[in-house]
Amino acid sequence: MKTLKTISIVAIIALVFTSCKNETEPEVKTVDVEVTKNDVATTLDPNATYAKVEFGIDGMTCAMGCAKTIEKKMAKMEGVKSAKVDFDSRLAMVEYDEAKVTPESLEETVTKVADIYKVKNMHHVEEFGTEEKVE
C-alpha cells in the first residue's frame, strides 16, 4: 500500500511539472501600412512667398479635442508651412504659401471642423505677436 501511495504521489508531481509548462512563443504579426500623400511631409517651395496670419477662434471648449483638431486640419492643408492653435488665448497662428492658401480658405477649414467654431479678427503679421490688419 505504501508503494502504491508513493507511486501515486510521484505520478501526480510528474503530471504537474509536465502539464504546467507555459513556454509558448509570443506571436509576431506584421502589418502592411499604405502611405498616402497626406501621411508624407510635403516639401516646401523655396521660391514661394509665405505670409503669416493670426486670428481668434470662438467656440473651442477643450485643448485636445478642439484646438489640436483645428491645428491638425490646418497643418494638413497643402501650402501651409506651420499652424499652431493656442487654446488658452483662443489664438491661431498660421504661416502659409500665398499662392496656395488664402485667409478665406483657412477660415473655411476652421468652420468645417465644426459649426460652432468662428474665426474672428484675422490679421497679417510680420512676426507672431504683432498686428497688421488684413484688408
Side-chain angles (χ1 to χ4, degrees):
M1 180 89 166
K2 200 172 194 182
T3 308
L4 184 59
K5 192 176 186 181
T6 306
I7 292 174
S8 297
I9 291 174
V10 170
I12 290 174
I13 291 174
L15 181 64
V16 168
F17 281 116
T18 57
S19 66
C20 290
K21 289 186 180 179
N22 193 9
E23 296 178 16
T24 58
E25 292 291 321
E27 185 178 347
V28 178
K29 292 184 179 182
T30 52
V31 179
D32 291 330
V33 177
E34 183 178 331
V35 178
T36 62
K37 181 182 175 211
N38 291 339
D39 295 336
V40 179
T42 57
T43 57
L44 298 173
D45 184 1
N47 298 322
T49 304
Y50 290 96
K52 295 179 182 179
V53 293
E54 288 183 343
F55 53 91
I57 302 175
D58 285 336
M60 293 190 296
T61 58
C62 59
M64 293 308 291
C66 300
K68 288 296 177 192
T69 302
I70 294 169
E71 185 176 297
K72 287 178 185 178
K73 292 286 185 181
M74 287 191 297
K76 286 184 178 181
M77 293 175 65
E78 185 177 346
V80 171
K81 183 176 181 180
S82 68
K84 174 81 174 111
V85 177
D86 183 4
F87 173 73
D88 295 328
S89 65
R90 307 282 197 263
L91 185 68
M93 297 158 277
V94 183
E95 187 171 5
Y96 62 92
D97 181 350
E98 290 181 308
K100 296 180 180 179
V101 179
T102 64
E104 292 79 20
S105 65
L106 290 171
E107 183 173 354
E108 183 180 320
T109 299
V110 171
T111 56
K112 277 186 177 180
V113 173
D115 291 334
I116 61 169
Y117 304 135
K118 303 292 181 223
V119 172
K120 65 176 186 176
N121 193 25
M122 185 178 291
H123 53 275
H124 282 282
V125 294
E126 290 297 318
E127 294 297 323
F128 293 122
T130 63
E131 290 191 21
E132 178 185 312
K133 298 279 185 192
V134 174
E135 295 159 11

